[in-house]
């Protein structure tokens, strides 16, 4: 590869548009394995045509981590909008594990950066939600187990018990 000495005066190492990349390129774009440092966190994994795509790990600046698949429904061109397109760099998309800064964990499916699909969420307190999620909310059929040992298996709508279900106390 080609190496270039960077003058620290040329590259700002903080700020809203901070980005540093070390890895493989193809056709002038990030492509292959690499590590990307941005103001939002550190990504290590695969890139395709300039975006995070495939297996990787993101350590977010706020303390969350994500291990799993990255991508989007389609490979996007860079946005001409001033704010950019949040999906053009590649977001959690597919199966993965997100550990939140408070200690809660979600393992399951992601769609365009959102908790969507089959999965299991365990809160930092020990509450368990398992089933189908849409934009982070349990929907359809699922299971909830409280920290006091109460269990509900049945229908959910907008994260609330709904329809037919079974409730029992597991500690009795």
């Amino acid at each position: 590869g080609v190496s270039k000495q960077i003058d620290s005066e040329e590259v700002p190492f903080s700020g809203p548009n901070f980005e540093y990349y070390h890895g493989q390129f193809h056709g002038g774009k990030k492509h292959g394995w690499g590590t990307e440092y941005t103001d939002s966190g550190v990504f290590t994994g695969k890139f395709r045509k300039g975006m995070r795509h495939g297996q990787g790990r993101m350590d977010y600046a706020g303390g969350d981590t994500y291990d799993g698949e990255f991508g989007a429904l389609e490979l996007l061109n860079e946005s001409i909008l001033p704010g950019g397109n949040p999906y053009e760099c590649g977001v959690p998309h597919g199966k993965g594990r997100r550990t939140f800064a408070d200690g809660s964990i979600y393992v399951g499916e992601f769609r365009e950066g959102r908790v969507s699909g089959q999965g299991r969420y365990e809160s930092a307190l020990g509450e368990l939600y398992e089933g189908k999620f849409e934009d982070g909310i349990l929907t359809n059929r699922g299971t909830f187990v409280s920290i006091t040992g109460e269990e509900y298996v049945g229908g959910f709508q907008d994260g609330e018990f709904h329809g037919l279900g079974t409730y029992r106390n597991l500690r009795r």
Side-chain angles (χ1 to χ4, degrees):
V2 176
S3 177
K4 178 184 175 189
Q5 181 70 27
I6 298 175
D7 182 6
S8 62
E9 299 287 322
E10 292 178 35
V11 181
F13 285 96
S14 65
N17 297 318
F18 169 73
E19 181 180 333
Y20 177 80
Y21 174 77
H22 176 79
Q24 298 172 315
F25 289 87
H26 181 74
K29 293 189 176 211
K30 301 170 200 168
H31 193 86
W33 286 96
T35 301
E36 178 183 57
Y37 302 85
T38 67
D39 55 336
S40 61
V42 178
F43 172 79
T44 302
K46 290 191 79 174
F47 289 84
R48 182 172 167 210
K49 297 183 179 179
M51 73 183 273
R52 301 173 196 138
H53 196 275
Q55 286 299 120
R57 176 184 172 104
M58 181 71 176
D59 292 295
Y60 294 93
D64 294 3
T65 62
Y66 172 80
D67 284 292
E69 298 172 347
F70 283 79
L73 291 178
E74 59 185 68
L75 290 177
L76 302 167
N77 293 323
E78 288 187 38
S79 175
I80 60 170
L81 300 174
N85 182 336
Y87 303 114
E88 73 188 26
C89 64
V91 293
H93 188 77
K95 292 184 180 178
R97 173 188 176 105
R98 180 137 188 188
T99 304
F100 297 90
D102 69 355
S104 56
I105 298 170
Y106 172 79
V107 178
E109 297 174 329
F110 291 79
R111 189 169 57 244
E112 296 185 332
R114 296 182 193 92
V115 170
S116 288
Q118 284 299 121
R120 175 185 170 108
Y121 172 80
E122 187 171 341
S123 76
L125 298 174
E127 294 179 325
L128 174 70
Y129 296 85
E130 190 167 8
K132 184 177 179 192
F133 292 82
E134 281 297 324
D135 293 325
I137 299 172
L138 193 58
T139 61
N140 223 347
R141 188 154 176 78
T143 302
F144 165 74
V145 180
S146 74
I147 59 173
T148 60
E150 300 167 295
E151 177 188 67
Y152 172 79
V153 178
F156 284 85
Q157 184 174 9
D158 298 324
E160 302 288 331
F161 303 158
H162 182 78
L164 193 58
T166 304
Y167 166 87
R168 67 184 178 146
N169 192 325
L170 300 174
R171 293 199 177 167
R172 288 190 177 191

mmCIF file of all heavy atoms in Angstrom, residues 105-124:
data_model
loop_
_atom_site.group_PDB
_atom_site.id
_atom_site.type_symbol
_atom_site.label_atom_id
_atom_site.label_comp_id
_atom_site.label_asym_id
_atom_site.label_seq_id
_atom_site.Cartn_x
_atom_site.Cartn_y
_atom_site.Cartn_z
ATOM 1 N N ILE A 105 -29.320 -5.596 26.384
ATOM 2 C CA ILE A 105 -28.809 -6.277 25.193
ATOM 3 C C ILE A 105 -29.969 -6.676 24.288
ATOM 4 O O ILE A 105 -30.990 -7.189 24.756
ATOM 5 C CB ILE A 105 -28.040 -7.556 25.591
ATOM 6 C CG1 ILE A 105 -26.832 -7.206 26.449
ATOM 7 C CG2 ILE A 105 -27.593 -8.343 24.361
ATOM 8 C CD1 ILE A 105 -26.157 -8.409 27.080
ATOM 9 N N TYR A 106 -29.794 -6.452 22.989
ATOM 10 C CA TYR A 106 -30.732 -6.957 21.981
ATOM 11 C C TYR A 106 -29.941 -7.844 21.029
ATOM 12 O O TYR A 106 -28.896 -7.446 20.512
ATOM 13 C CB TYR A 106 -31.386 -5.815 21.198
ATOM 14 C CG TYR A 106 -32.208 -6.319 20.034
ATOM 15 C CD1 TYR A 106 -33.489 -6.832 20.233
ATOM 16 C CD2 TYR A 106 -31.698 -6.330 18.746
ATOM 17 C CE1 TYR A 106 -34.229 -7.327 19.170
ATOM 18 C CE2 TYR A 106 -32.438 -6.820 17.682
ATOM 19 C CZ TYR A 106 -33.701 -7.316 17.905
ATOM 20 O OH TYR A 106 -34.441 -7.815 16.855
ATOM 21 N N VAL A 107 -30.447 -9.063 20.815
ATOM 22 C CA VAL A 107 -29.852 -9.987 19.854
ATOM 23 C C VAL A 107 -30.948 -10.366 18.881
ATOM 24 O O VAL A 107 -32.009 -10.854 19.284
ATOM 25 C CB VAL A 107 -29.303 -11.254 20.545
ATOM 26 C CG1 VAL A 107 -28.737 -12.230 19.514
ATOM 27 C CG2 VAL A 107 -28.244 -10.899 21.573
ATOM 28 N N GLY A 108 -30.715 -10.112 17.594
ATOM 29 C CA GLY A 108 -31.734 -10.445 16.612
ATOM 30 C C GLY A 108 -31.521 -9.720 15.305
ATOM 31 O O GLY A 108 -30.399 -9.394 14.931
ATOM 32 N N GLU A 109 -32.626 -9.406 14.655
ATOM 33 C CA GLU A 109 -32.590 -8.816 13.324
ATOM 34 C C GLU A 109 -32.698 -7.288 13.387
ATOM 35 O O GLU A 109 -33.407 -6.742 14.230
ATOM 36 C CB GLU A 109 -33.722 -9.386 12.474
ATOM 37 C CG GLU A 109 -33.589 -10.882 12.257
ATOM 38 C CD GLU A 109 -34.771 -11.490 11.531
ATOM 39 O OE1 GLU A 109 -35.909 -10.992 11.685
ATOM 40 O OE2 GLU A 109 -34.551 -12.475 10.813
ATOM 41 N N PHE A 110 -31.995 -6.662 12.436
ATOM 42 C CA PHE A 110 -32.009 -5.207 12.264
ATOM 43 C C PHE A 110 -32.371 -4.917 10.818
ATOM 44 O O PHE A 110 -32.000 -5.676 9.917
ATOM 45 C CB PHE A 110 -30.636 -4.603 12.554
ATOM 46 C CG PHE A 110 -30.235 -4.669 13.986
ATOM 47 C CD1 PHE A 110 -29.739 -5.838 14.533
ATOM 48 C CD2 PHE A 110 -30.348 -3.558 14.798
ATOM 49 C CE1 PHE A 110 -29.362 -5.911 15.868
ATOM 50 C CE2 PHE A 110 -29.973 -3.610 16.135
ATOM 51 C CZ PHE A 110 -29.478 -4.793 16.664
ATOM 52 N N ARG A 111 -33.081 -3.830 10.603
ATOM 53 C CA ARG A 111 -33.398 -3.387 9.246
ATOM 54 C C ARG A 111 -33.127 -1.897 9.163
ATOM 55 O O ARG A 111 -33.720 -1.112 9.898
ATOM 56 C CB ARG A 111 -34.855 -3.697 8.903
ATOM 57 C CG ARG A 111 -35.163 -3.462 7.426
ATOM 58 C CD ARG A 111 -36.528 -3.996 6.982
ATOM 59 N NE ARG A 111 -37.631 -3.438 7.741
ATOM 60 C CZ ARG A 111 -38.436 -4.163 8.530
ATOM 61 N NH1 ARG A 111 -38.279 -5.451 8.655
ATOM 62 N NH2 ARG A 111 -39.416 -3.576 9.189
ATOM 63 N N GLU A 112 -32.171 -1.537 8.296
ATOM 64 C CA GLU A 112 -31.773 -0.137 8.095
ATOM 65 C C GLU A 112 -31.491 0.591 9.410
ATOM 66 O O GLU A 112 -31.946 1.703 9.638
ATOM 67 C CB GLU A 112 -32.813 0.600 7.252
ATOM 68 C CG GLU A 112 -32.902 0.031 5.850
ATOM 69 C CD GLU A 112 -33.844 0.811 4.951
ATOM 70 O OE1 GLU A 112 -34.806 1.428 5.448
ATOM 71 O OE2 GLU A 112 -33.596 0.790 3.747
ATOM 72 N N GLY A 113 -30.741 -0.069 10.290
ATOM 73 C CA GLY A 113 -30.324 0.536 11.545
ATOM 74 C C GLY A 113 -31.310 0.425 12.681
ATOM 75 O O GLY A 113 -31.023 0.822 13.806
ATOM 76 N N ARG A 114 -32.486 -0.130 12.423
ATOM 77 C CA ARG A 114 -33.535 -0.222 13.451
ATOM 78 C C ARG A 114 -33.720 -1.660 13.927
ATOM 79 O O ARG A 114 -33.562 -2.598 13.151
ATOM 80 C CB ARG A 114 -34.859 0.285 12.891
ATOM 81 C CG ARG A 114 -34.850 1.741 12.518
ATOM 82 C CD ARG A 114 -36.232 2.163 12.025
ATOM 83 N NE ARG A 114 -36.200 3.445 11.392
ATOM 84 C CZ ARG A 114 -36.024 3.639 10.096
ATOM 85 N NH1 ARG A 114 -35.852 2.631 9.285
ATOM 86 N NH2 ARG A 114 -36.018 4.856 9.598
ATOM 87 N N VAL A 115 -34.105 -1.810 15.186
ATOM 88 C CA VAL A 115 -34.456 -3.123 15.731
ATOM 89 C C VAL A 115 -35.772 -3.526 15.081
ATOM 90 O O VAL A 115 -36.829 -2.985 15.408
ATOM 91 C CB VAL A 115 -34.598 -3.053 17.274
ATOM 92 C CG1 VAL A 115 -35.182 -4.325 17.830
ATOM 93 C CG2 VAL A 115 -33.257 -2.738 17.916
ATOM 94 N N SER A 116 -35.693 -4.416 14.103
ATOM 95 C CA SER A 116 -36.891 -4.867 13.372
ATOM 96 C C SER A 116 -36.682 -6.301 12.920
ATOM 97 O O SER A 116 -35.702 -6.603 12.245
ATOM 98 C CB SER A 116 -37.157 -3.983 12.149
ATOM 99 O OG SER A 116 -37.625 -2.715 12.550
ATOM 100 N N GLY A 117 -37.622 -7.175 13.310
ATOM 101 C CA GLY A 117 -37.545 -8.596 12.976
ATOM 102 C C GLY A 117 -37.541 -9.420 14.247
ATOM 103 O O GLY A 117 -37.796 -8.916 15.340
ATOM 104 N N GLN A 118 -37.235 -10.705 14.114
ATOM 105 C CA GLN A 118 -37.205 -11.601 15.275
ATOM 106 C C GLN A 118 -36.031 -11.250 16.165
ATOM 107 O O GLN A 118 -34.925 -10.999 15.670
ATOM 108 C CB GLN A 118 -37.085 -13.057 14.831
ATOM 109 C CG GLN A 118 -38.359 -13.656 14.296
ATOM 110 C CD GLN A 118 -39.479 -13.681 15.324
ATOM 111 O OE1 GLN A 118 -40.529 -13.099 15.094
ATOM 112 N NE2 GLN A 118 -39.282 -14.330 16.452
ATOM 113 N N GLY A 119 -36.270 -11.240 17.485
ATOM 114 C CA GLY A 119 -35.179 -10.927 18.392
ATOM 115 C C GLY A 119 -35.523 -11.117 19.841
ATOM 116 O O GLY A 119 -36.655 -11.482 20.207
ATOM 117 N N ARG A 120 -34.512 -10.844 20.655
ATOM 118 C CA ARG A 120 -34.636 -11.000 22.108
ATOM 119 C C ARG A 120 -33.959 -9.790 22.755
ATOM 120 O O ARG A 120 -32.794 -9.507 22.477
ATOM 121 C CB ARG A 120 -33.954 -12.289 22.525
ATOM 122 C CG ARG A 120 -33.893 -12.531 23.998
ATOM 123 C CD ARG A 120 -33.063 -13.795 24.263
ATOM 124 N NE ARG A 120 -32.776 -13.940 25.654
ATOM 125 C CZ ARG A 120 -33.329 -14.855 26.446
ATOM 126 N NH1 ARG A 120 -34.189 -15.716 25.946
ATOM 127 N NH2 ARG A 120 -33.014 -14.928 27.709
ATOM 128 N N TYR A 121 -34.710 -9.080 23.599
ATOM 129 C CA TYR A 121 -34.198 -7.909 24.308
ATOM 130 C C TYR A 121 -34.238 -8.187 25.797
ATOM 131 O O TYR A 121 -35.269 -8.599 26.334
ATOM 132 C CB TYR A 121 -35.046 -6.675 23.986
ATOM 133 C CG TYR A 121 -34.695 -5.469 24.823
ATOM 134 C CD1 TYR A 121 -33.596 -4.684 24.493
ATOM 135 C CD2 TYR A 121 -35.436 -5.143 25.945
ATOM 136 C CE1 TYR A 121 -33.253 -3.583 25.265
ATOM 137 C CE2 TYR A 121 -35.105 -4.043 26.722
ATOM 138 C CZ TYR A 121 -34.013 -3.269 26.381
ATOM 139 O OH TYR A 121 -33.681 -2.184 27.151
ATOM 140 N N GLU A 122 -33.097 -7.972 26.452
ATOM 141 C CA GLU A 122 -33.049 -8.100 27.905
ATOM 142 C C GLU A 122 -32.596 -6.765 28.477
ATOM 143 O O GLU A 122 -31.522 -6.266 28.141
ATOM 144 C CB GLU A 122 -32.086 -9.203 28.338
ATOM 145 C CG GLU A 122 -32.142 -9.461 29.826
ATOM 146 C CD GLU A 122 -31.356 -10.686 30.262
ATOM 147 O OE1 GLU A 122 -31.053 -11.537 29.419
ATOM 148 O OE2 GLU A 122 -31.058 -10.771 31.466
ATOM 149 N N SER A 123 -33.459 -6.172 29.323
ATOM 150 C CA SER A 123 -33.144 -4.863 29.894
ATOM 151 C C SER A 123 -32.033 -5.003 30.933
ATOM 152 O O SER A 123 -31.734 -6.101 31.404
ATOM 153 C CB SER A 123 -34.386 -4.245 30.536
ATOM 154 O OG SER A 123 -34.662 -4.865 31.778
ATOM 155 N N ALA A 124 -31.449 -3.883 31.304
ATOM 156 C CA ALA A 124 -30.397 -3.872 32.317
ATOM 157 C C ALA A 124 -30.916 -4.379 33.661
ATOM 158 O O ALA A 124 -30.156 -4.888 34.476
ATOM 159 C CB ALA A 124 -29.827 -2.467 32.459
#
